Amino acid sequence: MLFYEPFFALFAFPAFYAVYLWFNDRAAAKKWALILGSVAFYTWGEPLFVPIVLASSLLDYVLSKRIIPGTRDTSRKFWLALGIAANLCILVFYKYTDFLIANFNTLLAPFAGSQLPLLKIALPIGVSFVVFEKISYLVDTYRGTSKPARSFSDYCLFVFMFPKLLAGPIPKYHEMQDPIANPAAATWNDVQAGFLRFARGIAKKLLIADTCGAFADAAFGANAITLGAGQAWLGVVCFTLQIYFDFSAYSDMAIGLARMLGFRLRENFSMPYTARSLTDFWRRWHISLTTWIRDYLYKPLGGNRGSAAQTYLNLWICFLLSGIWHGASWNFVLWGAYNGLFLTLDRMFLIRWLERSGAAISTAVTLFIVMIGWVIFRATSAEHIGGYLAAMFDFTRAASTLDIPPELPLAVLIGSILSLLPATPLYAPLTRLYERSVHVRRLAVAALIALYVIALARAFAVPFTPFIYFRF
């Protein structure tokens, strides 16, 4: 069940929300309604994975009692390692087993006549996000940042809470501990603000991301040799807009739904395409993941406390693993290495050069670096990466026919304006006008509701396209 499906938006969620609001002043009943609703939501799409998540959550809950700072148990590190290993085993089994088997077969191909069969294990939606949330709970409990969950039901609600379950944002338990234990009554302001945020996500996903995504799929799905430079660049632009408006749309929907339920989730994006360096970009893109990597990987490795060479190595390790987290494919490993390279160059000299170059040049250069990275991310193999990049920069090549849908130019224009407007001098006065004028705010609300209706109408007419990050 997807947030933007008409069945969810028009039937399933309103029915659940009516029950939830019925218990609005009864925290315990409301908490159980949310637990049962969240488990039912995940069971709808991943029924076989739910018992595994429940069993591993029970293990987390039991182990968290044994790793509290100050306990006499001298085996705290062992229990922490056991909990982390158990969660990583889930991730490796579902996500990387076939990848490891395929690469093992490749290595043995010159020496062995037969190969190991691929298991073709279905990847549960959201498994990477669930595992990272559960690991952060264990580590924070070990560090004393979080207290253990007061009850197993509290921890289950943290793991299964359906707005953020499938693709983040990745919360930390101590950020949600009190609201989970005693859910506050949802106010009218929560309902209004949450719905408008949800509507914004629906419009971004269905009207911009999916429209751009259709052409991106066609461009990256074509033989790169047949693409002209203009087609290849348009494909990259479309994917650049698709992945941003697709993923940030899910975050908008998750934050909006959680707000309607009386919870506050952290922001996950902060105008990333206005970044003036790749370091700045990664402070703005998928914020909950980058902070997770910083807190649970980069800092334990030593962060920037050692020599420059050690810092560069730590950055590379973190982004190589970030690439692997995104998918079981070598192009994701290359994408992680590519980002690690430019983050290293930032620390060496690039960020200082960009600062001296001015806002327009630094933003343009950073966006160019990011877009080349998206080619690596979106391509399916090293050969595909090379062929696509060659098409982008071969301006003499004759192009084959690649249909441009009539709605694409408008989607690209609006997506580009929304992405880049915050980098222009117009953004500040427009923001002040919105904040000061009641009429402008009302007009914006009316426009957003109209776009929400149009987007839902499109959902009835066009085959659904899953969120990109559901693959991860």
Side-chain angles (χ1 to χ4, degrees):
M1 193 187 312
L2 303 176
F3 291 161
Y4 59 86
E5 287 185 51
F7 176 74
F8 176 87
L10 300 178
F11 301 104
F13 181 72
F16 163 78
Y17 198 48
V19 174
Y20 187 81
L21 291 180
W22 179 265
F23 298 120
N24 199 30
D25 295 324
R26 288 172 279 179
K30 189 166 64 169
K31 180 167 69 176
W32 276 104
L34 184 52
I35 292 172
L36 295 175
S38 296
V39 172
F41 174 83
Y42 200 44
T43 302
W44 183 283
E46 298 291 349
L48 299 179
F49 191 53
V50 170
I52 295 171
V53 177
L54 282 170
S56 68
S57 297
L58 180 59
L59 178 63
D60 295 341
Y61 178 71
V62 172
L63 291 178
S64 69
K65 306 296 184 181
R66 310 200 66 171
I67 59 177
I68 307 170
T71 59
R72 295 181 180 179
D73 190 346
T74 58
S75 303
R76 289 177 61 231
K77 287 186 178 180
F78 170 78
W79 297 121
L80 174 65
L82 177 63
I84 293 174
N87 281 289
L88 288 178
C89 282
I90 295 173
L91 184 61
V92 170
F93 175 76
Y94 281 102
K95 194 166 186 175
Y96 302 107
T97 299
D98 280 351
F99 176 68
L100 294 172
I101 292 174
N103 282 279
F104 182 75
N105 287 338
T106 301
L107 289 173
L108 293 186
F111 314 104
S114 60
Q115 295 188 330
L116 297 175
L118 298 180
L119 300 182
K120 301 187 183 302
I121 301 169
L123 179 66
I125 295 175
V127 61
S128 299
F129 293 89
V130 170
V131 167
F132 270 28
E133 289 171 11
K134 293 161 92 277
I135 289 175
S136 71
Y137 167 74
L138 292 170
V139 173
D140 284 350
T141 302
Y142 177 84
R143 291 173 175 172
T145 307
S146 288
K147 296 179 180 178
R150 298 170 190 172
S151 65
F152 182 55
S153 61
D154 281 8
Y155 186 57
C156 282
L157 180 53
F158 169 70
V159 173
F160 281 99
M161 185 181 289
F162 74 86
K164 56 81 184 169
L165 177 62
L166 303 183
I170 303 171
K172 298 177 181 177
Y173 185 73
H174 62 85
E175 298 170 345
M176 303 182 67
Q177 187 168 21
D178 291 336
I180 282 175
N182 188 28
T187 65
W188 170 246
N189 185 56
D190 290 330
V191 175
Q192 182 184 35
F195 171 74
L196 291 177
R197 188 67 181 268
F198 178 75
R200 186 171 84 182
I202 289 275
K204 287 166 65 175
K205 165 64 177 170
L206 293 172
L207 300 181
I208 298 178
D210 286 358
T211 302
C212 292
F215 186 84
D217 289 346
F220 280 92
N223 188 331
I225 297 175
T226 67
L227 293 176
Q231 294 171 330
W233 274 103
L234 182 57
V236 178
V237 169
C238 285
F239 183 70
T240 299
L241 295 173
Q242 179 198 11
I243 193 169
Y244 173 47
F245 282 93
D246 186 282
F247 192 16
S248 67
Y250 182 92
S251 294
D252 285 338
M253 294 183 216
I255 292 169
L257 289 171
R259 180 71 183 272
M260 292 177 72
L261 299 172
F263 293 85
R264 304 291 181 96
L265 297 180
R266 60 167 60 191
E267 294 294 334
N268 214 19
F269 291 87
S270 179
M271 302 175 287
Y273 292 152
T274 67
R276 298 182 182 180
S277 68
L278 200 65
T279 300
D280 187 25
F281 175 80
W282 280 108
R283 293 188 183 120
R284 298 168 176 270
W285 179 274
H286 201 172
I287 299 169
S288 62
L289 174 63
T290 52
T291 54
W292 194 99
I293 292 172
R294 180 197 66 198
D295 293 342
Y296 304 106
L297 190 56
Y298 182 66
K299 287 183 178 179
L301 286 171
N304 58 2
R305 296 190 298 273
S307 65
Q310 185 62 49
T311 299
Y312 302 154
L313 178 61
N314 293 341
L315 284 170
W316 272 61
I317 292 172
C318 289
F319 274 86
L320 280 172
L321 292 176
S322 172
I324 294 171
W325 178 87
H326 278 85
S329 174
W330 284 109
N331 67 299
F332 292 116
V333 178
L334 291 173
W335 177 74
Y338 174 86
N339 280 278
L341 170 63
F342 277 95
L343 288 168
T344 300
L345 293 177
D346 268 356
R347 285 185 170 268
M348 294 175 68
F349 69 89
L350 185 56
I351 198 168
R352 292 187 294 275
W353 180 84
L354 290 170
E355 288 171 352
R356 291 193 299 266
S357 300
I361 292 176
S362 59
T363 301
V365 170
T366 300
L367 186 56
F368 175 80
I369 294 170
V370 169
M371 290 173 71
I372 297 300
W374 288 142
V375 173
I376 301 171
F377 188 96
R378 179 61 179 80
T380 56
S381 66
E383 293 78 13
H384 191 193
I385 294 168
Y388 201 95
L389 290 174
M392 290 171 62
F393 295 101
D394 185 352
F395 297 97
T396 63
R397 181 184 299 180
S400 63
T401 302
L402 201 61
D403 292 334
I404 297 178
E407 66 272 17
L408 182 65
L410 181 60
V412 169
L413 176 63
I414 294 175
S416 300
I417 291 173
L418 293 176
S419 299
L420 298 175
L421 181 64
T424 69
L426 292 173
Y427 185 69
L430 288 174
T431 301
R432 287 194 296 270
L433 176 64
Y434 176 82
E435 292 172 348
R436 294 172 181 174
S437 174
V438 174
H439 297 297
V440 171
R441 292 199 298 273
R442 288 175 178 170
L443 182 62
V445 169
L448 189 55
I449 293 174
L451 290 172
Y452 173 74
V453 173
I454 294 170
L456 283 182
R458 188 179 189 276
F460 279 104
V462 178
F464 85 94
T465 304
F467 288 99
I468 291 176
Y469 266 67
F470 279 7
R471 307 171 192 169
F472 312 135

